[in-house]
Amino acid sequence: MTESEQCRPLRAGVFTLVCASLSAIGHAVSSGHDVPVGGLLLGVVVVFAVAWVLAGRRYGPGMLTAWMLWGQLALHVTFSYAQGAAHTDHSGAVLVQDPMPAWAMISMHVAMALVSAWWLHLGENALFAFLAFMALSLIPLLLVIGAVPTARATPSARFAATDQRPRTRPPYLRHSRVLRGPPPVLAA
């Protein structure tokens, strides 16, 4: 199934939501401090802008993992900068040290990137399989009830006075009786 431009906001939004929320949770847990709202908003805007540009087509699990690793790195830098600015005194000295070593925080971001890339890949495959199933299920149904127009063999005038043949009803109305309108004129 080919992707359309209407899926771009959905794909960029889901990517940003998964990347930013997992990164903020992991960063807050591993650093012992909450992520400031300003840093979170800045990180979300940056990741959403890049995701919007990249959401024009589907990527495989390897490329999706690479982009998720980039998002985690960008968010880690943004969150670390925002937390460092929030936890300094007027002289610029950091008030509280990180309780977790840097390698552990980076490994947590890498683990979040791998899990979320796998989850996004499965979710995207499931979404497009569902859309394909719905398209294949609805088109025959629409053809049966006559909602999809079919090509006519000869074009005819709609209100021509010379057209005296009886009107045919669509297949879903063949057992119904039309009771509206003036009574038919009976020939004497």
Tab-separated table of all heavy atoms in Angstrom, residues 33-95:
chain	number	residue	atom	x	y	z
A	33	HIS	N	15.921	13.694	38.450
A	33	HIS	CA	15.271	15.009	38.404
A	33	HIS	C	14.195	14.993	37.333
A	33	HIS	O	14.314	14.292	36.331
A	33	HIS	CB	16.271	16.111	38.038
A	33	HIS	CG	17.461	16.160	38.919
A	33	HIS	ND1	17.397	16.472	40.244
A	33	HIS	CD2	18.782	15.928	38.651
A	33	HIS	CE1	18.612	16.448	40.766
A	33	HIS	NE2	19.471	16.102	39.818
A	34	ASP	N	13.170	15.813	37.558
A	34	ASP	CA	12.159	15.974	36.511
A	34	ASP	C	12.744	16.763	35.350
A	34	ASP	O	13.633	17.601	35.527
A	34	ASP	CB	10.942	16.731	37.051
A	34	ASP	CG	10.143	15.895	38.032
A	34	ASP	OD1	10.248	14.658	37.970
A	34	ASP	OD2	9.412	16.486	38.855
A	35	VAL	N	12.224	16.490	34.159
A	35	VAL	CA	12.627	17.251	32.984
A	35	VAL	C	11.817	18.546	32.989
A	35	VAL	O	10.591	18.506	33.076
A	35	VAL	CB	12.364	16.443	31.691
A	35	VAL	CG1	12.678	17.275	30.472
A	35	VAL	CG2	13.175	15.164	31.696
A	36	PRO	N	12.456	19.712	32.904
A	36	PRO	CA	11.712	20.969	32.884
A	36	PRO	C	10.798	21.049	31.662
A	36	PRO	O	11.109	20.503	30.598
A	36	PRO	CB	12.798	22.046	32.815
A	36	PRO	CG	14.034	21.388	33.313
A	36	PRO	CD	13.907	19.945	32.958
A	37	VAL	N	9.668	21.714	31.838
A	37	VAL	CA	8.670	21.796	30.766
A	37	VAL	C	9.241	22.483	29.528
A	37	VAL	O	8.977	22.070	28.400
A	37	VAL	CB	7.396	22.523	31.272
A	37	VAL	CG1	6.407	22.731	30.154
A	37	VAL	CG2	6.761	21.747	32.399
A	38	GLY	N	10.054	23.523	29.732
A	38	GLY	CA	10.658	24.216	28.591
A	38	GLY	C	11.549	23.294	27.771
A	38	GLY	O	11.518	23.316	26.535
A	39	GLY	N	12.343	22.474	28.439
A	39	GLY	CA	13.199	21.515	27.735
A	39	GLY	C	12.389	20.456	27.024
A	39	GLY	O	12.723	20.041	25.911
A	40	LEU	N	11.306	20.011	27.675
A	40	LEU	CA	10.439	19.014	27.048
A	40	LEU	C	9.778	19.575	25.792
A	40	LEU	O	9.755	18.924	24.747
A	40	LEU	CB	9.384	18.534	28.038
A	40	LEU	CG	8.432	17.454	27.560
A	40	LEU	CD1	9.198	16.183	27.229
A	40	LEU	CD2	7.383	17.175	28.605
A	41	LEU	N	9.268	20.807	25.870
A	41	LEU	CA	8.624	21.425	24.700
A	41	LEU	C	9.623	21.660	23.570
A	41	LEU	O	9.312	21.430	22.399
A	41	LEU	CB	7.949	22.729	25.096
A	41	LEU	CG	6.718	22.597	25.983
A	41	LEU	CD1	6.194	23.966	26.377
A	41	LEU	CD2	5.637	21.788	25.291
A	42	LEU	N	10.827	22.112	23.919
A	42	LEU	CA	11.855	22.320	22.900
A	42	LEU	C	12.216	20.993	22.220
A	42	LEU	O	12.320	20.920	20.995
A	42	LEU	CB	13.096	22.959	23.518
A	42	LEU	CG	14.278	23.166	22.555
A	42	LEU	CD1	13.910	24.162	21.467
A	42	LEU	CD2	15.497	23.624	23.329
A	43	GLY	N	12.386	19.947	23.004
A	43	GLY	CA	12.703	18.636	22.435
A	43	GLY	C	11.583	18.109	21.547
A	43	GLY	O	11.838	17.561	20.475
A	44	VAL	N	10.341	18.288	21.975
A	44	VAL	CA	9.203	17.826	21.174
A	44	VAL	C	9.145	18.571	19.845
A	44	VAL	O	8.911	17.974	18.789
A	44	VAL	CB	7.890	17.977	21.973
A	44	VAL	CG1	6.672	17.853	21.075
A	44	VAL	CG2	7.822	16.938	23.075
A	45	VAL	N	9.373	19.885	19.869
A	45	VAL	CA	9.320	20.676	18.632
A	45	VAL	C	10.414	20.233	17.664
A	45	VAL	O	10.173	20.068	16.461
A	45	VAL	CB	9.422	22.181	18.950
A	45	VAL	CG1	9.682	23.004	17.708
A	45	VAL	CG2	8.148	22.655	19.629
A	46	VAL	N	11.627	20.026	18.177
A	46	VAL	CA	12.739	19.615	17.304
A	46	VAL	C	12.481	18.235	16.703
A	46	VAL	O	12.629	18.032	15.492
A	46	VAL	CB	14.070	19.637	18.092
A	46	VAL	CG1	15.180	18.944	17.316
A	46	VAL	CG2	14.458	21.068	18.419
A	47	VAL	N	12.055	17.286	17.519
A	47	VAL	CA	11.812	15.930	17.013
A	47	VAL	C	10.629	15.918	16.049
A	47	VAL	O	10.663	15.250	15.015
A	47	VAL	CB	11.609	14.945	18.184
A	47	VAL	CG1	11.137	13.599	17.695
A	47	VAL	CG2	12.908	14.782	18.954
A	48	PHE	N	9.576	16.688	16.336
A	48	PHE	CA	8.425	16.719	15.443
A	48	PHE	C	8.791	17.334	14.099
A	48	PHE	O	8.336	16.866	13.053
A	48	PHE	CB	7.256	17.494	16.065
A	48	PHE	CG	6.015	17.453	15.228
A	48	PHE	CD1	5.216	16.322	15.222
A	48	PHE	CD2	5.646	18.527	14.443
A	48	PHE	CE1	4.072	16.261	14.443
A	48	PHE	CE2	4.511	18.479	13.659
A	48	PHE	CZ	3.712	17.347	13.666
A	49	ALA	N	9.619	18.376	14.102
A	49	ALA	CA	10.027	18.999	12.834
A	49	ALA	C	10.809	18.019	11.968
A	49	ALA	O	10.567	17.914	10.755
A	49	ALA	CB	10.858	20.249	13.115
A	50	VAL	N	11.728	17.296	12.576
A	50	VAL	CA	12.497	16.312	11.799
A	50	VAL	C	11.604	15.145	11.377
A	50	VAL	O	11.684	14.654	10.249
A	50	VAL	CB	13.718	15.831	12.617
A	50	VAL	CG1	14.423	14.679	11.921
A	50	VAL	CG2	14.678	16.986	12.834
A	51	ALA	N	10.720	14.706	12.269
A	51	ALA	CA	9.822	13.593	11.935
A	51	ALA	C	8.864	13.987	10.814
A	51	ALA	O	8.507	13.155	9.983
A	51	ALA	CB	9.040	13.156	13.173
A	52	TRP	N	8.438	15.243	10.777
A	52	TRP	CA	7.537	15.705	9.706
A	52	TRP	C	8.228	15.585	8.345
A	52	TRP	O	7.631	15.147	7.370
A	52	TRP	CB	7.119	17.144	9.960
A	52	TRP	CG	6.174	17.656	8.923
A	52	TRP	CD1	6.494	18.261	7.741
A	52	TRP	CD2	4.753	17.574	8.937
A	52	TRP	NE1	5.368	18.574	7.043
A	52	TRP	CE2	4.283	18.161	7.754
A	52	TRP	CE3	3.851	17.054	9.857
A	52	TRP	CZ2	2.936	18.242	7.464
A	52	TRP	CZ3	2.506	17.149	9.557
A	52	TRP	CH2	2.063	17.733	8.375
A	53	VAL	N	9.493	15.967	8.295
A	53	VAL	CA	10.239	15.886	7.040
A	53	VAL	C	10.415	14.430	6.622
A	53	VAL	O	10.309	14.085	5.440
A	53	VAL	CB	11.603	16.590	7.182
A	53	VAL	CG1	12.477	16.349	5.974
A	53	VAL	CG2	11.405	18.081	7.408
A	54	LEU	N	10.660	13.546	7.586
A	54	LEU	CA	10.952	12.149	7.277
A	54	LEU	C	9.709	11.281	7.111
A	54	LEU	O	9.820	10.147	6.661
A	54	LEU	CB	11.815	11.549	8.383
A	54	LEU	CG	13.183	12.191	8.553
A	54	LEU	CD1	13.865	11.646	9.780
A	54	LEU	CD2	14.019	11.960	7.321
A	55	ALA	N	8.543	11.776	7.460
A	55	ALA	CA	7.344	10.937	7.482
A	55	ALA	C	6.696	10.771	6.118
A	55	ALA	O	5.610	10.225	6.017
A	55	ALA	CB	6.320	11.525	8.464
A	56	GLY	N	7.355	11.171	5.066
A	56	GLY	CA	6.778	11.046	3.733
A	56	GLY	C	6.764	9.625	3.200
A	56	GLY	O	6.057	9.334	2.241
A	57	ARG	N	7.543	8.747	3.785
A	57	ARG	CA	7.559	7.359	3.318
A	57	ARG	C	7.848	6.433	4.491
A	57	ARG	O	8.282	6.865	5.545
A	57	ARG	CB	8.590	7.154	2.215
A	57	ARG	CG	10.023	7.325	2.644
A	57	ARG	CD	10.987	7.162	1.468
A	57	ARG	NE	12.263	6.649	1.903
A	57	ARG	CZ	12.587	5.362	1.938
A	57	ARG	NH1	11.749	4.451	1.560
A	57	ARG	NH2	13.784	4.974	2.336
A	58	ARG	N	7.606	5.157	4.259
A	58	ARG	CA	7.860	4.158	5.301
A	58	ARG	C	9.323	3.755	5.297
A	58	ARG	O	9.970	3.705	4.262
A	58	ARG	CB	7.002	2.919	5.052
A	58	ARG	CG	5.553	3.147	5.342
A	58	ARG	CD	4.722	1.963	5.003
A	58	ARG	NE	4.999	0.876	5.936
A	58	ARG	CZ	4.391	-0.290	5.884
A	58	ARG	NH1	3.502	-0.529	4.955
A	58	ARG	NH2	4.665	-1.225	6.744
A	59	TYR	N	9.816	3.447	6.484
A	59	TYR	CA	11.189	2.988	6.637
A	59	TYR	C	11.189	1.601	7.245
A	59	TYR	O	10.266	1.218	7.960
A	59	TYR	CB	11.984	3.931	7.554
A	59	TYR	CG	12.196	5.298	6.960
A	59	TYR	CD1	11.434	6.373	7.373
A	59	TYR	CD2	13.151	5.496	5.986
A	59	TYR	CE1	11.624	7.628	6.822
A	59	TYR	CE2	13.346	6.744	5.433
A	59	TYR	CZ	12.583	7.807	5.857
A	59	TYR	OH	12.772	9.040	5.305
A	60	GLY	N	12.249	0.860	6.968
A	60	GLY	CA	12.415	-0.462	7.550
A	60	GLY	C	12.849	-0.347	9.003
A	60	GLY	O	13.129	0.740	9.516
A	61	PRO	N	12.965	-1.479	9.680
A	61	PRO	CA	13.334	-1.432	11.097
A	61	PRO	C	14.730	-0.857	11.337
A	61	PRO	O	14.946	-0.175	12.341
A	61	PRO	CB	13.252	-2.885	11.558
A	61	PRO	CG	12.971	-3.705	10.368
A	61	PRO	CD	12.663	-2.818	9.229
A	62	GLY	N	15.665	-1.076	10.438
A	62	GLY	CA	17.020	-0.541	10.630
A	62	GLY	C	17.055	0.974	10.553
A	62	GLY	O	17.648	1.639	11.416
A	63	MET	N	16.414	1.532	9.528
A	63	MET	CA	16.395	2.981	9.384
A	63	MET	C	15.555	3.630	10.483
A	63	MET	O	15.899	4.693	10.997
A	63	MET	CB	15.863	3.368	8.009
A	63	MET	CG	15.981	4.844	7.728
A	63	MET	SD	17.683	5.417	7.808
A	63	MET	CE	18.122	5.362	6.122
A	64	LEU	N	14.473	2.974	10.867
A	64	LEU	CA	13.644	3.491	11.952
A	64	LEU	C	14.415	3.504	13.274
A	64	LEU	O	14.309	4.457	14.056
A	64	LEU	CB	12.375	2.641	12.076
A	64	LEU	CG	11.252	3.198	12.913
A	64	LEU	CD1	10.800	4.545	12.416
A	64	LEU	CD2	10.078	2.233	12.895
A	65	THR	N	15.229	2.480	13.494
A	65	THR	CA	16.068	2.443	14.692
A	65	THR	C	17.109	3.560	14.655
A	65	THR	O	17.366	4.207	15.684
A	65	THR	CB	16.762	1.075	14.822
A	65	THR	OG1	15.756	0.062	14.862
A	65	THR	CG2	17.614	0.998	16.068
A	66	ALA	N	17.688	3.811	13.485
A	66	ALA	CA	18.677	4.891	13.370
A	66	ALA	C	18.041	6.245	13.677
A	66	ALA	O	18.628	7.065	14.400
A	66	ALA	CB	19.293	4.897	11.976
A	67	TRP	N	16.855	6.483	13.142
A	67	TRP	CA	16.188	7.757	13.421
A	67	TRP	C	15.742	7.846	14.879
A	67	TRP	O	15.757	8.928	15.483
A	67	TRP	CB	15.006	7.978	12.485
A	67	TRP	CG	15.456	8.367	11.111
A	67	TRP	CD1	15.304	7.643	9.966
A	67	TRP	CD2	16.163	9.550	10.743
A	67	TRP	NE1	15.881	8.302	8.918
A	67	TRP	CE2	16.415	9.482	9.363
A	67	TRP	CE3	16.617	10.656	11.448
A	67	TRP	CZ2	17.087	10.475	8.680
A	67	TRP	CZ3	17.295	11.655	10.751
A	67	TRP	CH2	17.521	11.552	9.395
A	68	MET	N	15.348	6.748	15.460
A	68	MET	CA	14.963	6.761	16.868
A	68	MET	C	16.186	7.018	17.748
A	68	MET	O	16.098	7.746	18.744
A	68	MET	CB	14.288	5.443	17.245
A	68	MET	CG	13.671	5.437	18.610
A	68	MET	SD	12.421	6.694	18.900
A	68	MET	CE	11.060	6.064	17.972
A	69	LEU	N	17.347	6.453	17.385
A	69	LEU	CA	18.577	6.737	18.129
A	69	LEU	C	18.942	8.215	18.024
A	69	LEU	O	19.359	8.833	19.005
A	69	LEU	CB	19.728	5.862	17.620
A	69	LEU	CG	19.695	4.412	18.054
A	69	LEU	CD1	20.717	3.587	17.269
A	69	LEU	CD2	19.937	4.292	19.549
A	70	TRP	N	18.768	8.795	16.831
A	70	TRP	CA	19.024	10.225	16.676
A	70	TRP	C	18.084	11.027	17.571
A	70	TRP	O	18.509	11.980	18.234
A	70	TRP	CB	18.830	10.666	15.220
A	70	TRP	CG	18.911	12.155	15.113
A	70	TRP	CD1	20.031	12.903	14.928
A	70	TRP	CD2	17.827	13.083	15.245
A	70	TRP	NE1	19.710	14.232	14.932
A	70	TRP	CE2	18.369	14.380	15.131
A	70	TRP	CE3	16.465	12.955	15.453
A	70	TRP	CZ2	17.579	15.521	15.204
A	70	TRP	CZ3	15.681	14.101	15.534
A	70	TRP	CH2	16.241	15.351	15.412
A	71	GLY	N	16.804	10.667	17.582
A	71	GLY	CA	15.835	11.376	18.417
A	71	GLY	C	16.179	11.272	19.888
A	71	GLY	O	16.079	12.251	20.639
A	72	GLN	N	16.594	10.092	20.336
A	72	GLN	CA	16.969	9.918	21.740
A	72	GLN	C	18.202	10.749	22.080
A	72	GLN	O	18.279	11.343	23.162
A	72	GLN	CB	17.219	8.436	22.045
A	72	GLN	CG	15.983	7.581	22.019
A	72	GLN	CD	15.057	7.885	23.172
A	72	GLN	OE1	15.477	8.154	24.283
A	72	GLN	NE2	13.765	7.838	22.894
A	73	LEU	N	19.177	10.802	21.164
A	73	LEU	CA	20.372	11.609	21.405
A	73	LEU	C	20.014	13.092	21.475
A	73	LEU	O	20.461	13.808	22.382
A	73	LEU	CB	21.415	11.363	20.316
A	73	LEU	CG	22.663	12.238	20.409
A	73	LEU	CD1	23.464	11.896	21.651
A	73	LEU	CD2	23.495	12.115	19.162
A	74	ALA	N	19.198	13.563	20.535
A	74	ALA	CA	18.794	14.976	20.540
A	74	ALA	C	18.019	15.313	21.807
A	74	ALA	O	18.236	16.371	22.419
A	74	ALA	CB	17.961	15.279	19.294
A	75	LEU	N	17.140	14.436	22.216
A	75	LEU	CA	16.364	14.687	23.430
A	75	LEU	C	17.242	14.601	24.679
A	75	LEU	O	17.041	15.362	25.632
A	75	LEU	CB	15.192	13.713	23.513
A	75	LEU	CG	14.075	13.990	22.497
A	75	LEU	CD1	13.094	12.832	22.466
A	75	LEU	CD2	13.359	15.286	22.800
A	76	HIS	N	18.202	13.689	24.689
A	76	HIS	CA	19.121	13.594	25.834
A	76	HIS	C	19.897	14.896	26.000
A	76	HIS	O	20.010	15.428	27.113
A	76	HIS	CB	20.088	12.423	25.651
A	76	HIS	CG	21.192	12.411	26.659
A	76	HIS	ND1	20.999	12.052	27.979
A	76	HIS	CD2	22.504	12.737	26.546
A	76	HIS	CE1	22.151	12.154	28.628
A	76	HIS	NE2	23.078	12.567	27.778
A	77	VAL	N	20.426	15.419	24.903
A	77	VAL	CA	21.183	16.668	24.978
A	77	VAL	C	20.275	17.810	25.429
A	77	VAL	O	20.639	18.614	26.289
A	77	VAL	CB	21.842	16.975	23.611
A	77	VAL	CG1	22.418	18.370	23.570
A	77	VAL	CG2	22.915	15.944	23.308
A	78	THR	N	19.066	17.881	24.860
A	78	THR	CA	18.126	18.939	25.228
A	78	THR	C	17.727	18.844	26.694
A	78	THR	O	17.721	19.840	27.421
A	78	THR	CB	16.872	18.872	24.339
A	78	THR	OG1	17.268	18.941	22.966
A	78	THR	CG2	15.917	19.992	24.639
A	79	PHE	N	17.388	17.637	27.144
A	79	PHE	CA	16.969	17.461	28.534
A	79	PHE	C	18.116	17.724	29.509
A	79	PHE	O	17.917	18.304	30.579
A	79	PHE	CB	16.400	16.065	28.761
A	79	PHE	CG	15.130	15.788	28.001
A	79	PHE	CD1	14.716	14.492	27.812
A	79	PHE	CD2	14.353	16.809	27.477
A	79	PHE	CE1	13.544	14.215	27.127
A	79	PHE	CE2	13.185	16.547	26.784
A	79	PHE	CZ	12.777	15.251	26.611
A	80	SER	N	19.330	17.281	29.165
A	80	SER	CA	20.484	17.521	30.036
A	80	SER	C	20.760	19.010	30.158
A	80	SER	O	21.042	19.516	31.254
A	80	SER	CB	21.719	16.807	29.496
A	80	SER	OG	21.541	15.423	29.533
A	81	TYR	N	20.675	19.717	29.036
A	81	TYR	CA	20.890	21.166	29.075
A	81	TYR	C	19.805	21.841	29.906
A	81	TYR	O	20.100	22.719	30.729
A	81	TYR	CB	20.910	21.728	27.656
A	81	TYR	CG	21.075	23.223	27.623
A	81	TYR	CD1	22.311	23.804	27.874
A	81	TYR	CD2	19.992	24.044	27.353
A	81	TYR	CE1	22.462	25.181	27.868
A	81	TYR	CE2	20.133	25.420	27.347
A	81	TYR	CZ	21.366	25.982	27.595
A	81	TYR	OH	21.502	27.334	27.590
A	82	ALA	N	18.545	21.451	29.702
A	82	ALA	CA	17.443	22.063	30.457
A	82	ALA	C	17.543	21.737	31.947
A	82	ALA	O	17.289	22.596	32.796
A	82	ALA	CB	16.102	21.596	29.899
A	83	GLN	N	17.917	20.506	32.281
A	83	GLN	CA	18.071	20.142	33.693
A	83	GLN	C	19.265	20.856	34.313
A	83	GLN	O	19.208	21.279	35.458
A	83	GLN	CB	18.245	18.635	33.849
A	83	GLN	CG	16.966	17.866	33.763
A	83	GLN	CD	17.188	16.368	33.922
A	83	GLN	OE1	18.276	15.854	33.685
A	83	GLN	NE2	16.138	15.677	34.306
A	84	GLY	N	20.345	21.000	33.555
A	84	GLY	CA	21.520	21.701	34.074
A	84	GLY	C	21.213	23.160	34.334
A	84	GLY	O	21.657	23.732	35.333
A	85	ALA	N	20.414	23.781	33.457
A	85	ALA	CA	20.049	25.182	33.664
A	85	ALA	C	19.094	25.328	34.840
A	85	ALA	O	19.130	26.330	35.559
A	85	ALA	CB	19.407	25.738	32.398
A	86	ALA	N	18.270	24.331	35.071
A	86	ALA	CA	17.297	24.417	36.162
A	86	ALA	C	17.921	24.125	37.514
A	86	ALA	O	17.406	24.585	38.532
A	86	ALA	CB	16.148	23.444	35.912
A	87	HIS	N	19.034	23.391	37.554
A	87	HIS	CA	19.633	22.978	38.828
A	87	HIS	C	20.984	23.639	39.075
A	87	HIS	O	21.910	23.007	39.593
A	87	HIS	CB	19.784	21.454	38.865
A	87	HIS	CG	18.482	20.735	38.815
A	87	HIS	ND1	17.577	20.755	39.850
A	87	HIS	CD2	17.911	19.993	37.834
A	87	HIS	CE1	16.514	20.046	39.517
A	87	HIS	NE2	16.695	19.584	38.305
A	88	THR	N	21.120	24.883	38.695
A	88	THR	CA	22.341	25.623	38.990
A	88	THR	C	22.001	26.816	39.868
A	88	THR	O	20.882	27.320	39.852
A	88	THR	CB	23.016	26.124	37.695
A	88	THR	OG1	22.095	26.940	36.974
A	88	THR	CG2	23.465	24.980	36.829
A	89	ASP	N	22.995	27.254	40.632
A	89	ASP	CA	22.763	28.475	41.417
A	89	ASP	C	23.190	29.681	40.577
A	89	ASP	O	23.503	29.556	39.402
A	89	ASP	CB	23.493	28.392	42.754
A	89	ASP	CG	25.001	28.244	42.603
A	89	ASP	OD1	25.481	28.311	41.455
A	89	ASP	OD2	25.680	28.070	43.624
A	90	HIS	N	23.250	30.863	41.189
A	90	HIS	CA	23.554	32.088	40.437
A	90	HIS	C	24.986	32.125	39.919
A	90	HIS	O	25.278	32.832	38.959
A	90	HIS	CB	23.271	33.315	41.308
A	90	HIS	CG	21.811	33.447	41.639
A	90	HIS	ND1	20.855	33.693	40.692
A	90	HIS	CD2	21.145	33.338	42.816
A	90	HIS	CE1	19.672	33.765	41.251
A	90	HIS	NE2	19.815	33.538	42.561
A	91	SER	N	25.868	31.377	40.539
A	91	SER	CA	27.253	31.367	40.070
A	91	SER	C	27.465	30.387	38.926
A	91	SER	O	28.522	30.352	38.321
A	91	SER	CB	28.193	31.024	41.222
A	91	SER	OG	27.962	29.688	41.648
A	92	GLY	N	26.472	29.559	38.639
A	92	GLY	CA	26.585	28.602	37.541
A	92	GLY	C	27.016	27.225	37.987
A	92	GLY	O	27.193	26.336	37.170
A	93	ALA	N	27.225	27.019	39.270
A	93	ALA	CA	27.632	25.706	39.770
A	93	ALA	C	26.418	24.788	39.860
A	93	ALA	O	25.337	25.207	40.238
A	93	ALA	CB	28.271	25.842	41.154
A	94	VAL	N	26.619	23.541	39.508
A	94	VAL	CA	25.537	22.564	39.562
A	94	VAL	C	25.281	22.214	41.022
A	94	VAL	O	26.204	21.900	41.772
A	94	VAL	CB	25.899	21.298	38.751
A	94	VAL	CG1	24.815	20.247	38.873
A	94	VAL	CG2	26.135	21.654	37.301
A	95	LEU	N	24.009	22.279	41.425
A	95	LEU	CA	23.661	22.038	42.820
A	95	LEU	C	23.619	20.559	43.177
A	95	LEU	O	23.998	20.174	44.266
A	95	LEU	CB	22.301	22.680	43.139
A	95	LEU	CG	22.263	24.204	43.035
A	95	LEU	CD1	20.847	24.700	43.257
A	95	LEU	CD2	23.204	24.825	44.054
